[in-house]
Amino acid sequence: MKKIVVLASAVLFTFCTNKKTETANETVPTTSNRNVYVDTADMTPQKEEVVVKQKPTDFIPKGYIEYKPEGIETLKGDLNKDGLDDMVLMIKGTDKTKVVNVEGRGMLDRNRRGVVVLFATANGYELASQNVSCFYSENEDGGVYYAPEIDLGIEKGKLMVYFSHGRYSYWSYTFRYEKTDFRLIGYDSYSSRGPVPQYVTSINFLTNKKLIRDNLNKDQYGDEYEENFVDTWENLKTVKPMYLATIKEFDDLDF
C-alpha cells in the first residue's frame, strides 16, 4: 500500500500537477492496463437516469455511512464549471464481520472506504460518480510505518485523490469530469528520505508522457545541501482511459 504539511513538498506537488492538466485535446489511449478495472471497464461508464435529491447523504448506498473524521469538513467545489459548489463524500462500509480482533491492536474496523461525487443543481444534487470500495480502511497495518493516509480535494475544477506517508512520500491522482464520469488524467508522486528528496514523478495520461526527476544529491545531508535534479521524459505505452467508478482499488494502479 502506498496531508502534505511541509512547504517544500507543496511546491514540488504544485510543479508536478501543473505538468499534466492542460492537454485535453490529445489522442485518447486505447489499450489496457494491469489489474485495474472491473469487468466492464473497457467501456466508458454509462450515465444513469438523473435523480435529484435534496440531501447529499441520501445518495449514500445502503450499508455505508459518510466517513468524516472529527474536524474535517465535507469537501465542496465546482467540478463541472457551472458555478455551483458540488460535493464529494468519502463513505465507509458497515459490515460487522469486517470488525476484527488484531493482535496487539485490539478490535479494528477493516471495512473499506469509497467515494460519492455529487453535482449541485438548482433543485438539489444529482449523482456524478461513485465507487464504494476503492480505498482501504483507515485501520490497515503499514508494517514498520503507518499505512498511507488518504484525502480528497478539489483543485482548479479537478477531483484529487491524495495518499501521504508522512515525510517519506506522497502521491496523488487527478480526475476530470468527461461526459459520464471522472477520468484519470494525471498522477504525481514525491519520495524522500527525511528532508532529502529522492525522486519526483509526474504522468500525463492525455499525452502519455511521464517525467521522472532524479535528485543526484539524494545521499547528501547537512546545512549546505542542495537539490540537483536531472529530468528524464518517457513515452508511456498507450493506456486505456481509466474512470473513477471502474477502479477496483487504488492499491492496484501501476504505471
Side-chain angles (χ1 to χ4, degrees), residues 131-179:
N131 188 323
V132 300
S133 60
C134 54
F135 306 132
Y136 49 76
S137 81
E138 73 279 16
N139 294 312
E140 300 301 317
D141 184 0
V144 297
Y145 205 48
Y146 62 81
E149 297 179 357
I150 304 173
D151 201 2
L152 303 172
I154 296 174
E155 294 186 14
K156 298 181 179 180
K158 311 297 190 301
L159 176 63
M160 308 295 299
V161 178
Y162 306 112
F163 289 75
S164 62
H165 219 173
R167 64 178 182 169
Y168 295 104
S169 63
Y170 64 80
W171 54 103
S172 66
Y173 305 86
T174 302
F175 291 85
R176 183 182 67 189
Y177 190 73
E178 290 189 0
K179 297 181 180 179

Side-chain angles (χ1 to χ4, degrees), residues 15 27-28 59 63 69 86 124 126 137 146 150 153 163-164 176 178 182 186 189 196 198 209 213 235 247:
F15 169 83
T27 301
V28 175
F59 288 92
D86 306 311
E126 64 180 57
S137 81
Y146 62 81
I150 304 173
F163 289 75
S164 62
R176 183 182 67 189
E178 290 189 0
F182 287 85
S189 69
V196 181
Q198 305 291 295
K209 298 290 186 180
R213 310 192 71 215
N235 292 317
I247 295 175

